[in-house]
Amino acid sequence: SSIKNNTEDKKQLKLRERNEKVRPHKRPKCFLMYDFEDVKKVQKLKKFLYLLERNKEIEIFDMHATEFAENQEQTIEYQINQADWVFCLITFNFLFSTYDWALKARNLGKRIIPIQVNVVGLEDTFFPKLRSLPSNKKAIAEWSNEDAAYTDIVTHLRKILK
């Protein structure tokens, strides 16, 4: 019986060590993916995400924080690889310029949450198969009170990320 317990303890220790190697940081790393022309919308979302970040519930990496990096593309790719979650801010601009990054993230097996900023036809993308925010499936632009939409997003992210 003690041999069996010892074997189970070793298995649990190996699992814990493997998980710590795979995910050395304690809070989920969230990658914000969006088109640069939508930076004002992202700034508003970041204001609402601020408390989650300040309370160390998440760590945010902004894809355009590397705008002046020497190897911006490599930096973005590295950050996607490091991310636990990818938040895609869905606008027409995003589909036109950033969708390929979302495909790369999907192909890497990243957990992706589409955040519908504007009403955009997504039929020819992989996004309709995913759970999107805001929770009522209405784009932020369709809400009469945008602050309520952002609050809804943060409330549901808090639940999803736990």
Side-chain angles (χ1 to χ4, degrees):
S1 155
S2 68
I3 293 173
K4 185 179 179 184
N5 287 341
N6 193 18
T7 304
E8 287 177 21
D9 289 343
K10 285 181 182 178
K11 285 180 183 177
Q12 286 179 344
L13 181 63
K14 282 185 180 181
L15 280 173
R16 193 175 323 123
E17 286 173 354
R18 187 180 70 198
N19 287 338
E20 286 172 4
K21 285 179 187 173
V22 171
R23 195 164 176 263
H25 51 281
K26 290 183 170 43
R27 57 187 169 160
K29 186 168 186 176
C30 304
F31 184 85
L32 288 177
M33 186 179 288
Y34 62 97
D35 181 82
F36 187 74
E37 288 188 35
D38 298 320
V39 71
K40 287 186 179 182
K41 295 168 184 164
V42 172
Q43 288 171 339
K44 186 156 186 177
L45 175 63
K46 286 170 102 176
K47 287 177 185 176
F48 280 84
L49 293 173
Y50 174 74
L51 284 176
L52 292 177
E53 193 170 26
R54 192 177 118 218
N55 293 336
K56 301 194 183 313
E57 294 178 60
I58 62 171
E59 180 181 352
I60 296 175
F61 183 78
D62 181 328
M63 106 180 267
H64 292 289
T66 65
E67 184 180 358
F68 301 107
E70 194 171 311
N71 290 318
Q72 181 182 12
E73 200 163 300
Q74 286 179 335
T75 303
I76 290 171
E77 206 161 312
Y78 173 79
Q79 291 298 334
I80 290 171
N81 279 313
Q82 296 298 307
D84 298 303
W85 293 88
V86 176
F87 302 157
C88 296
L89 275 73
I90 308 297
T91 64
F92 177 75
N93 294 329
F94 175 89
L95 293 179
F96 181 70
S97 69
T98 314
Y99 183 67
D100 287 345
W101 282 111
L103 287 172
K104 283 183 182 185
R106 184 192 68 173
N107 292 340
L108 289 169
K110 296 299 170 178
R111 294 175 286 186
I112 298 172
I113 299 177
I115 298 175
Q116 287 277 133
V117 177
N118 296 111
V119 178
V120 178
L122 299 174
E123 301 80 29
D124 297 328
T125 71
F126 67 91
F127 293 120
K129 297 173 187 153
L130 304 177
R131 178 179 178 185
S132 66
L133 294 174
S135 64
N136 65 0
K137 302 199 186 291
K138 284 174 58 178
I140 295 167
E142 292 181 293
W143 287 59
S144 59
N145 180 347
E146 281 192 359
D147 287 352
Y150 285 104
T151 300
D152 177 81
I153 290 166
V154 171
T155 300
H156 284 86
L157 283 177
R158 183 174 266 133
K159 292 175 188 175
I160 292 167
L161 298 173
K162 285 193 176 193

